[in-house]
Amino acid sequence: MYKKMTKLASLGLLVGLVVAPAYGQVLGVRVKVPFKFVVANKTLTEGEYFLSAVRDEVFVQDSEGKRVAMVPTNAVSGRTVGKTGEVVFECYTDLCFLSQVWTPGRDTGRELLRSRVETEIAKRKTGTYFALLGSELRK
C-alpha cells in the first residue's frame, strides 16, 4: 500500500512539473504600432507593445514590460492567424481604437468592448479596420 501511494505521489509531482511551465507561459502578440491609439480610455503613443489575453481580459504592456492597460473582452472566432498573431484596430479618420487581439496558436481571438467615446464616434462615422501582424517573440 505504501509503495503504491509513493508511486502515485511521484507521478502527481511529475505531472505537476510538466504541466506547470506550460500553464504559466503567457501567450501573446508583440507588435510595433506606427500610430497613436486608444485603449481603456488612454491614448498610447506609437511604439512596441506586448498584448496578452488571459481569460476574458487583454493586458497591454509597453516595450519595457510595464502594464499600461487591462480591458475586458469577448471571444471572437471565424479567422485564422499566423504563428505570430495579429492585432486589429478600428480607425475613424485620425483616431484608432484597439479592437481585437489574436494570439498565435489559437482559433479564437479577443474582441475589446467599445468605450463610450468610441461608441459615440461610431454613430457618426464608419470605421476602417487596420490589422498589424505580430513580430517573432524573442527568447
Side-chain angles (χ1 to χ4, degrees):
M1 176 88 170
Y2 177 75
K3 280 186 172 184
K4 196 175 192 179
M5 287 178 63
T6 304
K7 284 182 182 180
L8 218 58
S10 296
L11 179 61
L13 179 62
L14 179 63
V15 168
L17 290 173
V18 170
V19 172
Y23 211 70
Q25 182 182 19
V26 176
L27 290 178
V29 181
R30 183 172 308 282
V31 65
K32 187 167 183 146
V33 183
F35 48 80
K36 293 188 302 184
F37 65 99
V38 178
V39 60
N41 294 319
K42 296 177 187 173
T43 300
L44 302 180
T45 61
E46 60 187 55
E48 189 173 284
Y49 292 91
F50 180 75
L51 297 96
S52 56
V54 180
R55 292 189 184 94
D56 293 339
E57 295 177 314
V58 163
F59 297 90
V60 181
Q61 295 176 312
D62 65 15
S63 61
E64 296 169 3
K66 179 182 172 195
R67 184 184 298 166
V68 293
M70 178 180 83
V71 289
T73 63
N74 290 320
V76 63
S77 60
R79 300 183 57 207
T80 303
V81 297
K83 65 181 181 177
T84 59
E86 189 175 289
V87 177
V88 179
F89 297 88
E90 189 164 7
C91 300
Y92 306 89
T93 313
D94 60 346
L95 189 59
C96 294
F97 294 86
L98 180 61
S99 179
Q100 297 176 353
V101 176
W102 295 81
T103 54
R106 299 219 174 138
D107 57 357
T108 59
R110 303 305 306 177
E111 185 168 62
L112 283 70
L113 305 177
R114 279 187 172 170
S115 68
R116 194 173 336 152
V117 172
E118 184 179 3
T119 300
E120 287 301 314
I121 293 171
K123 287 178 183 177
R124 295 178 307 217
K125 298 180 182 179
T126 302
T128 302
Y129 289 96
F130 186 79
L132 295 173
L133 299 178
S135 60
E136 292 288 335
L137 293 177
R138 292 176 236 127
K139 294 189 179 194

